[in-house]
Amino acid sequence: MKVLKSLNSLYVEGSDSYTFIDSLVSNSINESEYKFSYLLGPDGKVNFWFIFSRQNDLLKIYQSESNLIELKKVLEKYKIRTKCELNIVKEDKFFEIVEKDDFLGVKVIHEPAQHADWYQIEMAYELPSLKIIRLGLLPNEIKWLENFVDFDKGCFIGQEQASRIKFRGNPRRILKTLPNSTQEIVKK
């Protein structure tokens, strides 16, 4: 178990904020809940991973500032005729990352004595860095498929491809964190 300190969040606010984000991301979210999710591309490949939460018409997406800037650009392209605003906000938030068997969960905690940054969490839990994502990863090539994708949710970008790879076959390669704190996609 590690604690993540997030310094920024992307606020998605407005009457269409929930339906807008829900139609794009791979995981479902309930009121006052925090979860991991992906934003997949139309080809089913992972474009971003993040933690997100929902409070009424305000959705917050947590990731490093550089990832949030890139994510905001992508979301702005999809935000046609929707009533919502996207803003990156400075916000200190601490998340306890809970790993148990094949489950990776997240919950908000108060400021701890020690914490990790996004890079350290990526290395510790074999989550893809933006550099690795650009090489073209499918969701099942990352250890935490069931935690980041809700296959009962319904439509989201890349949903058909994500379902196909889950139900039709095993990945030929998988993301691994090496002892020297680098990541590599290795053949399985």
Side-chain angles (χ1 to χ4, degrees):
M1 169 184 59
K2 290 193 179 287
V3 174
L4 166 67
K5 180 178 182 180
S6 182
L7 302 174
N8 301 283
S9 59
L10 175 61
Y11 279 30
V12 184
E13 301 179 81
S15 59
D16 292 341
S17 61
Y18 174 71
T19 55
F20 171 60
I21 294 299
D22 188 57
S23 69
L24 298 174
V25 301
S26 65
N27 216 340
S28 57
I29 188 83
N30 295 319
E31 187 77 24
S32 302
E33 186 175 38
Y34 290 83
K35 277 189 173 177
F36 288 106
S37 189
Y38 293 130
L39 177 65
L40 302 176
D43 59 358
K45 293 182 180 175
V46 176
N47 285 340
F48 298 94
W49 72 271
F50 47 83
I51 297 169
F52 73 134
S53 70
R54 174 184 176 206
Q55 285 83 31
N56 298 317
D57 288 336
L58 172 62
L59 278 97
K60 296 181 182 180
I61 298 174
Y62 301 92
Q63 225 325 329
S64 68
E65 185 175 20
S66 60
N67 279 344
L68 289 177
I69 290 168
E70 294 299 315
L71 177 58
K72 182 181 178 199
K73 290 177 190 174
V74 170
L75 293 177
E76 289 284 359
K77 292 177 185 176
Y78 289 115
K79 194 180 79 103
I80 300 169
R81 294 185 293 277
T82 58
K83 295 177 183 152
C84 65
E85 296 297 320
L86 306 171
N87 297 299
I88 296 175
V89 176
K90 299 280 183 202
E91 178 183 12
D92 287 357
K93 192 71 105 176
F94 294 91
F95 298 102
E96 181 179 31
I97 310 298
V98 180
E99 178 183 11
K100 186 175 183 188
D101 300 323
D102 287 339
F103 175 77
L104 191 65
V106 60
K107 66 181 184 176
V108 175
I109 62 169
H110 296 290
E111 188 169 349
Q114 294 185 335
H115 54 78
D117 62 19
W118 287 98
Y119 173 77
Q120 292 165 322
I121 294 299
E122 287 171 349
M123 294 302 118
Y125 295 104
E126 295 184 316
L127 295 166
S129 66
L130 202 51
K131 179 182 173 185
I132 289 292
I133 286 172
R134 289 184 178 133
L135 297 176
L137 277 174
L138 294 168
N140 70 340
E141 295 174 331
I142 303 165
K143 184 176 177 180
W144 308 106
L145 177 65
E146 300 294 331
N147 297 274
F148 284 72
V149 180
D150 181 354
F151 290 100
D152 297 323
K153 174 183 179 242
C155 294
F156 56 88
I157 293 177
Q159 178 260 333
E160 291 173 4
Q161 293 81 358
S163 292
R164 191 176 306 123
I165 60 171
K166 178 195 183 338
F167 296 110
R168 280 200 179 166
N170 295 319
R172 287 181 258 143
R173 56 190 198 153
I174 192 137
L175 175 68
K176 289 287 183 191
T177 298
L178 304 176
N180 64 355
S181 293
T182 60
Q183 291 182 327
E184 190 174 298
I185 303 169
V186 297
K187 291 189 183 213
K188 200 167 178 189

